[in-house]
Amino acid sequence: MLEVCLLGTAAAQPLPDRALCSATLRCAGRRILFDCGEGTQVSLRREHISPVKIDLIALTHYHGDHIFGLPGLLQSMVLQERRDPLWITGPEGLEEAMAPVLSLAGELSFPLKLLPLPAEGLALAALHPAWPAGARLRAIPTRHRVPSQGYVFTLARPGRFDVAAARALGVPQTDWSRLQAGKPVSLGGAWILPEQVIGPERPGLKLVFSGDTAACPALEEAAAGADLLIHEATYADEEEKAALYGHSTFVQAGQLAARAGVKRLWLCHFSQTIGEPEQALPLAQARFPAAECGFDGLCTTLVFRDPTEND
Amino acid sequence: MLEVCLLGTAAAQPLPDRALCSATLRCAGRRILFDCGEGTQVSLRREHISPVKIDLIALTHYHGDHIFGLPGLLQSMVLQERRDPLWITGPEGLEEAMAPVLSLAGELSFPLKLLPLPAEGLALAALHPAWPAGARLRAIPTRHRVPSQGYVFTLARPGRFDVAAARALGVPQTDWSRLQAGKPVSLGGAWILPEQVIGPERPGLKLVFSGDTAACPALEEAAAGADLLIHEATYADEEEKAALYGHSTFVQAGQLAARAGVKRLWLCHFSQTIGEPEQALPLAQARFPAAECGFDGLCTTLVFRDPTEND
């Protein structure tokens, strides 16, 4: 089970009713924060989200409207007496971008670790043991004016544990959890392997966060079949302007979602030049009927297809 | 005439309904901004205040909750195509404190000038010609845990121009404005001095902004007779805690206002530990009956005593 919440949906300059673009996901009580523009800590507070449960801040790039909330968030974590380590990841240039942020934030009460994501992605259980074994985050290079990346969070779901098979093999019940965790069990001199008692992997959950990007084939490929795609839609249908600034339109976001076959699409990162984003929504819905306009505080829970199997 | 607006009234951490402590004053269309915590630019927008009219940002000290809004505000000024110079003043350490801020903000579209205030104060007309000749800002050393200062803004009002005297002396009407501006006029080989046609200086306006400070005799002296004192009141009546952290209580702020004989007192910079600030207000009002609890968006206009003389 995965909770997702949009904390901000504006581009470039924050508005009283639209903070700068940011989102958070929650899984097994732990959190990832995507981007952190000025005011993100206020949005977290409005949603009653404690910053101390954030294990990882995943930055899509280092433009000010995506990182200027970091010094204040870090200081608030100190005031809230955070002790757990905090990881921050982002594209090329992470260390240089973070230097003035850390200089402003001053002394911290917790270890802060800069962590470029490995190409194969990161098993989040490495950050905090509460993360499910199948929770993984990887970065996808996107197409902005500066080094940038989007993120794909996946929650794999192992196959069903075959209780009858385990009993038939004589595996004591105390060893079942070890097999469920993917580890072999020794039984009377022989090894019982997980695949002997666990069925084929079942469909998990996939969430994709685009960050700032022009229409991006790599992101489209990575988003295939996603349960939710959060995609920027800075402009309505001004494709030339979008290309110039490395952004997408409502039209392009709808097209990408349709081609990727995602289940849901949330649009965000609206330029103030387009007026009310809802008025541009039909441009996306003409390509992807389920497209929704993001707003600050839009939240959802993504569940496995068989709801009895969610935890 | 002087417009004053509280942009934020919280201490340490911003809340959805209380931004970090900040205020602005407007005079003859130009502005000073006092402090700039994270989110100040959103408060400005909520009050429909354009950042490009701000000539001077006056910082009381360099704790994060008073300066982390600067990088975003500066970048928004760039997006709004500011060209006019911007001055920033503050206590000792201004240059060091601003270095990471400017590093984050990146290239600006306008000159940014760091300006320690001279001891005698600064005539604001030196920053922009629209400021009245009598508008002046000076800093008062305050008592916080780090170098800190409060601010006194004064708007002097020259004496009344004596039309009858000017006519009796034979000064042509085209020279009156020169005399009103305090400059002598040559007339048939002799000099007419301003004091020959201008009465004694009349009471002007005085606004005092405390910033973060423990009870401060220098500030009390400087606030004598102020039209409005904006004073921090971090705690209700916990004087030991206030002394420890270099802050004031509702009680102390009320006492100081009463002793200084100010006309109005606005309290601000409320710690979240005190709950609803209104519940602590009687502690201040017992010492200074006109004390008011500040809230985001509290605004007033200060006028000369004879309203026909306001401009």
Side-chain angles (χ1 to χ4, degrees):
Chain A
M1 186 167 108
L2 197 58
E3 287 171 39
V4 186
C5 185
L6 287 186
L7 298 170
T9 50
Q13 295 181 70
L15 302 175
D17 60 346
R18 279 196 196 275
L20 292 168
C21 201
S22 169
T24 179
L25 74 79
R26 179 170 176 266
C27 181
R30 309 304 304 177
R31 287 196 174 273
I32 295 173
L33 177 67
F34 296 105
D35 283 342
C36 186
E38 181 179 355
T40 297
Q41 65 166 317
V42 176
S43 299
L44 287 167
R45 199 176 272 266
R46 187 176 285 122
E47 300 304 323
H48 306 286
I49 295 170
S50 166
V52 302
K53 298 291 178 65
I54 297 169
D55 291 315
L56 175 66
I57 300 177
L59 303 172
T60 60
H61 63 300
Y62 309 121
H63 279 155
D65 55 331
H66 294 252
I67 66 165
F68 284 176
L70 285 170
L73 181 62
L74 296 178
Q75 279 203 352
S76 287
M77 287 177 174
V78 172
L79 290 171
Q80 292 163 29
E81 299 180 347
R82 183 186 180 115
R83 297 281 177 263
D84 285 345
L86 174 70
W87 283 266
I88 300 188
T89 194
E92 181 195 329
L94 178 60
E95 203 169 328
E96 297 80 348
M98 288 300 294
V101 167
L102 297 178
S103 169
L104 277 181
E107 196 179 345
L108 302 177
S109 59
F110 52 89
L112 187 144
K113 303 180 179 187
L114 304 187
L115 171 80
L117 288 192
E120 72 278 14
L122 174 78
L124 291 156
L127 307 189
H128 192 286
W131 285 97
R136 180 171 284 272
L137 186 75
R138 67 189 171 98
I140 305 297
T142 50
R143 298 169 58 197
H144 198 39
R145 309 194 297 281
V146 292
S148 66
Q149 58 193 31
Y151 291 97
V152 178
F153 173 89
T154 47
L155 182 59
R157 189 161 56 137
R160 197 182 300 270
F161 186 80
D162 188 338
V163 170
R167 288 206 167 113
L169 289 164
V171 182
Q173 200 161 340
T174 47
D175 280 340
W176 290 6
S177 62
R178 188 173 165 82
L179 286 163
Q180 281 169 319
K183 292 170 188 157
V185 159
S186 157
L187 189 70
W191 287 100
I192 306 294
L193 302 180
E195 50 264 41
Q196 293 178 262
V197 293
I198 292 175
E201 184 169 312
R202 293 166 290 175
L205 292 172
K206 187 197 275 192
L207 169 76
V208 177
F209 185 77
S210 76
D212 288 12
T213 185
C216 175
L219 191 78
E220 180 178 321
E221 190 183 336
D227 295 273
L228 173 61
L229 167 62
I230 302 174
H231 200 288
E232 74 124 288
T234 306
Y235 304 113
D237 56 2
E238 299 135 291
E239 296 207 358
E240 272 186 41
K241 196 168 172 185
L244 183 65
Y245 292 110
H247 286 302
S248 298
T249 64
F250 275 64
V251 173
Q252 290 169 325
Q255 287 170 334
L256 188 146
R259 286 193 301 257
V262 305
K263 297 187 185 67
R264 297 170 70 179
L265 168 65
W266 285 358
L267 303 173
C268 62
H269 198 267
F270 308 123
S271 164
Q272 288 158 47
T273 62
I274 67 167
E276 270 307 308
E278 279 75 9
Q279 297 191 347
L281 185 57
L283 292 169
Q285 290 185 334
R287 281 78 187 181
F288 186 82
E292 291 175 71
C293 257
F295 55 86
D296 296 14
L298 174 58
C299 297
T300 194
T301 302
L302 304 176
V303 294
F304 293 136
R305 281 187 216 157
D306 175 354
T308 64
E309 290 167 4
N310 284 288
D311 47 39
Chain B
M1 188 166 107
L2 197 60
E3 287 173 37
V4 186
C5 185
L6 287 185
L7 298 170
T9 51
Q13 295 181 70
L15 302 174
D17 59 347
R18 279 196 197 275
L20 292 168
C21 201
S22 170
T24 180
L25 75 78
R26 178 170 177 266
C27 182
R30 309 304 304 178
R31 289 197 172 271
I32 295 173
L33 178 68
F34 297 105
D35 284 342
C36 187
E38 182 179 355
T40 296
Q41 65 166 319
V42 176
S43 299
L44 287 168
R45 200 176 270 268
R46 188 176 283 122
E47 300 304 322
H48 306 286
I49 294 171
S50 165
V52 301
K53 298 292 178 66
I54 297 169
D55 291 314
L56 175 67
I57 301 177
L59 303 171
T60 61
H61 63 299
Y62 309 121
H63 279 154
D65 55 333
H66 293 252
I67 66 165
F68 284 177
L70 285 171
L73 180 62
L74 296 178
Q75 280 203 350
S76 287
M77 286 178 175
V78 172
L79 290 170
Q80 292 162 28
E81 301 181 345
R82 183 187 181 114
R83 296 283 176 261
D84 286 343
L86 174 70
W87 283 265
I88 301 188
T89 194
E92 182 194 326
L94 179 60
E95 203 169 330
E96 297 80 349
M98 288 299 295
V101 166
L102 297 179
S103 169
L104 278 181
E107 195 179 347
L108 302 178
S109 59
F110 53 90
L112 187 144
K113 302 179 179 188
L114 305 187
L115 170 81
L117 286 192
E120 72 278 13
L122 175 76
L124 291 156
L127 307 189
H128 192 286
W131 285 97
R136 181 171 284 273
L137 187 75
R138 67 191 171 98
I140 305 295
T142 50
R143 297 168 59 196
H144 198 41
R145 310 194 297 281
V146 292
S148 66
Q149 58 194 31
Y151 291 97
V152 179
F153 174 88
T154 47
L155 182 58
R157 190 162 55 138
R160 196 182 300 270
F161 186 78
D162 188 338
V163 170
R167 289 206 168 116
L169 288 165
V171 183
Q173 201 163 340
T174 47
D175 281 340
W176 290 6
S177 63
R178 187 170 166 85
L179 286 163
Q180 282 170 318
K183 293 171 189 157
V185 159
S186 158
L187 189 69
W191 288 100
I192 306 293
L193 302 180
E195 49 265 41
Q196 291 179 262
V197 293
I198 293 174
E201 185 169 314
R202 292 166 290 176
L205 293 172
K206 187 197 274 190
L207 169 77
V208 178
F209 185 78
S210 77
D212 288 13
T213 185
C216 176
L219 191 78
E220 181 179 319
E221 191 183 336
D227 295 274
L228 174 60
L229 168 61
I230 302 174
H231 200 288
E232 74 124 290
T234 307
Y235 304 113
D237 57 0
E238 301 137 289
E239 296 206 359
E240 272 186 41
K241 196 169 173 185
L244 183 65
Y245 293 110
H247 286 303
S248 298
T249 64
F250 274 64
V251 173
Q252 290 169 326
Q255 288 170 333
L256 188 146
R259 287 194 301 258
V262 304
K263 296 187 186 67
R264 297 170 69 179
L265 169 65
W266 286 358
L267 304 173
C268 62
H269 198 266
F270 308 123
S271 164
Q272 288 159 47
T273 62
I274 66 168
E276 270 307 309
E278 280 75 10
Q279 296 190 348
L281 185 57
L283 292 168
Q285 289 185 335
R287 280 78 185 180
F288 186 82
E292 293 175 70
C293 257
F295 55 84
D296 296 15
L298 174 58
C299 296
T300 194
T301 302
L302 304 177
V303 293
F304 293 135
R305 282 188 215 155
D306 174 354
T308 64
E309 290 165 4
N310 285 286
D311 47 38

